[in-house]
Every structure is written in C-alpha cells, then in structure tokens.
Amino acid sequence: MRARLIHRFDYRYTKPVVLGPHRFCLRPRPHGFQRLIDFKLEISPEPSQLYELMAAGGDTITRARFLQETEAFSVVATSEVETFCAPLIEACLDAEMAQLPVPIGKLNPDLLSNLQGWLPNGQHDAAAVDMAQEALMGSDGSSLNFLQQLIEIIQDRVKYTQRHVGPAWPAGRTLKERVGSCRDLAMLMIECCRSLGLPARFVSGYHLVEPKPERYDLHAWAEVYLQGAGWRGFDPSGQGAVDDRYIPVVTSSKSDLTAAVCGTFSGPPGVESSLEWEIQAEILSSAIR
C-alpha cells in the first residue's frame, strides 16, 4: 500500500510564551516492511536549532529549540510511505523458540529492555501475570496460539474507547476499569507477553482502516519479538496481527517516549494553551502482493 499523510498540530496561547525544547516523533519508520518515500516537517515559529537523531530503538526523531516569544505554535508533518505484507509468521518461526515460556538466557541481550515489567522495580503487574497464565493454559504452549488467545481475552474483558489525554494506564488499572484506549490495551498486552519471556514493545503510528472514518487519529499497538520472524505487530484493540494498512512511526520499550509532540512553554501567570489537530490520509495505491 502506498499512502500520503498530513498530520497537523495547532497550539494557541492566551498570552505570549517562550517555547522550551521540543521532541517530535512524526517521521514514519523507514525500515522493516515499510519504505519512507518522502517526509517534510514544517514548524512555526522557526526553531533556532533543529536537528535529527537516532533514538535508542533505531527510529529517527527530531529535536528543536526556540528563542522568540509567540502566541501560536504549529507543526505540520507530511509523509508518503509504502508498506508491504510481511511473510507468514508460521513459516519463519524457529521451532525451538516457538514454545512458551521463552528461556531468557537464549535471547539476544539487546532485547532485555523489552522484558522489564511496568512497576518501578521491574516486576510485572500481578493482574497481567494472571491474564498471561490464563491465555497460556488455553494455548498448548505455542507462542502464536498464546498471542491469539491473549488478544481474545483482552477484547472480552476490556471495552475499547478513545482517550486523547494522559499517558497509557498500568495493566492493573485497565483490567480494573474494564475499559481502555488503544495505548492502554497495547500496554496490557505488552505486560502479559513480557511476563512469559516474550519481548514486547509499544508502537505509535497510523491505522488506515476501511471504511475511511470521519476523522483519523493516532493509533497504538504492540510489537512482539518472535525468534526467526523478528518484530511483528499485534493490535489488541483491533484485528490482532497487523497488516500493511498499519503505518508505524516510532517504537519504544516505554510508551511515554513515543509522544508525537513533546515539549514545554513558559509565560506570564495565568497563561493558558489550547490544541487543535488533524490527520489527513490518502491511499495512493493498494497492497502489493
């Protein structure tokens, strides 16, 4: 699939402010099963310093610094990407690593950050451990059956809802509330997978669903590392295994490092800010099989 996306943010301030350092995660990932054809980032006011860097996970992010005061701040990211269908996971899996739980000692040490639990001491949320064990018992120990069973349990226990404000919830809160956004369900799945030794990480990007919605939004899902097949995407708030209509932008072992725009501002007492945003998406050609 080939697609063009325009992602716009318009911030307004009630009084002049000075923008602090900002971090942008808006460039679609140009590796894996995706090719970045073109990308342009427009920022107003013009930054005094603008540069790109490669994040710990290998994705390209942009940093900016500002000097002048402003009452408005706009960011427009225009992307053109081509996505491809990945080979069947079943045909790629290493037989000795297809069963759960995964022996951690056999994993590449580079994956260890994607095995840590949500809690500050690195332990896994007890509620997520219980859910993972339930899915494991119904999966005959197969990693793919486990993932399918886990997604079915999550979708049965938690009602999906949109939530645009705030970070992803801990797994325990999502299960207690029995409702969650795409990022909440993604973190719940990640926590469950990690408790069984399956490396998992958070993904932020776009899902060009059919039929086309009235309004596109950023989406979040999980990527799980399967030995022999590598990182593969799974969407617990959607269809399960992702296809070429998913456009990943940034990944991280920590969800808070994937925010599209992150920064600060300072101004006089009582200053308030507002945000309007829009995502336009156009499919230029269908999937290449």
Side-chain angles (χ1 to χ4, degrees):
M1 178 192 73
R2 188 164 178 166
R4 180 182 296 115
L5 299 111
I6 301 174
H7 196 163
R8 175 185 295 275
F9 301 81
D10 288 303
Y11 297 85
R12 294 290 183 270
Y13 307 96
T14 54
K15 299 176 183 179
V17 301
V18 175
L19 298 172
H22 274 68
R23 182 178 188 269
F24 306 96
C25 297
L26 290 165
R27 178 189 291 267
R29 200 168 69 186
H31 51 79
F33 307 106
Q34 179 168 279
R35 182 168 70 97
L36 181 61
I37 298 169
D38 188 37
F39 177 75
K40 180 171 65 174
L41 184 63
E42 300 171 274
I43 302 173
S44 177
E46 185 175 351
S48 60
Q49 184 182 20
L50 184 70
Y51 64 94
E52 294 178 346
L53 61 87
M54 184 178 292
D59 299 314
T60 301
I61 64 174
T62 304
R63 284 190 174 274
R65 293 187 173 90
F66 304 86
L67 292 177
Q68 69 270 47
E69 287 189 331
T70 184
E71 293 184 7
F73 177 39
S74 69
V75 180
V76 182
T78 305
S79 312
E80 188 171 329
V81 299
E82 188 173 16
T83 60
F84 306 92
C85 295
L88 285 175
I89 297 176
E90 296 91 330
C92 302
L93 273 182
D94 287 353
E96 64 174 332
M97 299 292 284
Q99 295 297 116
L100 295 175
V102 177
I104 295 177
K106 291 188 177 182
L107 288 173
N108 187 320
D110 292 343
L111 298 169
L112 294 182
S113 66
N114 299 288
L115 288 171
Q116 292 181 347
W118 179 285
L119 301 178
N121 58 2
Q123 290 183 325
H124 297 287
D125 191 305
V129 173
D130 288 344
M131 175 174 278
Q133 291 298 320
E134 182 180 347
L136 182 62
M137 286 188 293
S139 68
D140 70 16
S142 161
S143 56
L144 287 182
N145 289 344
F146 163 76
L147 292 169
Q148 180 180 354
Q149 184 78 6
L150 176 61
I151 289 172
E152 290 177 0
I153 293 175
I154 290 175
Q155 293 182 345
D156 179 64
R157 305 276 173 84
V158 183
K159 180 182 179 181
Y160 167 71
T161 186
Q162 290 189 336
R163 182 170 63 85
H164 295 112
V165 179
W169 287 348
R173 177 175 179 181
T174 300
L175 288 173
K176 183 177 180 180
E177 300 282 351
R178 298 183 68 87
V179 65
S181 67
C182 57
R183 58 189 181 278
D184 302 324
L185 272 64
M187 284 308 302
L188 173 57
M189 181 175 182
I190 289 168
E191 185 79 345
C192 290
C193 289
R194 290 178 177 181
S195 73
L196 292 180
L198 275 177
R201 64 186 183 182
F202 187 91
V203 188
S204 178
Y206 308 100
H207 183 201
L208 304 190
V209 297
E210 290 184 304
K212 184 176 180 179
E214 293 185 6
R215 179 184 176 100
Y216 279 110
D217 196 358
L218 269 175
H219 193 52
W221 60 96
E223 281 186 346
V224 180
Y225 190 86
L226 299 166
Q227 197 84 2
W231 288 108
R232 294 300 184 97
F234 295 88
D235 184 1
S237 60
Q239 63 187 37
V242 308
D243 57 20
D244 62 314
R245 298 184 75 86
Y246 284 78
I247 300 175
V249 173
V250 61
T251 62
S252 178
S253 61
K254 299 182 181 297
S255 62
D256 55 354
L257 295 178
T258 66
V261 179
C262 181
T264 62
F265 68 87
S266 59
V271 64
E272 296 180 352
S273 66
S274 61
L275 167 64
E276 293 184 358
W277 56 269
E278 180 186 29
I279 298 173
Q280 300 176 25
E282 178 185 4
I283 297 177
L284 306 176
S285 64
S286 58
I288 298 175
R289 302 290 180 181

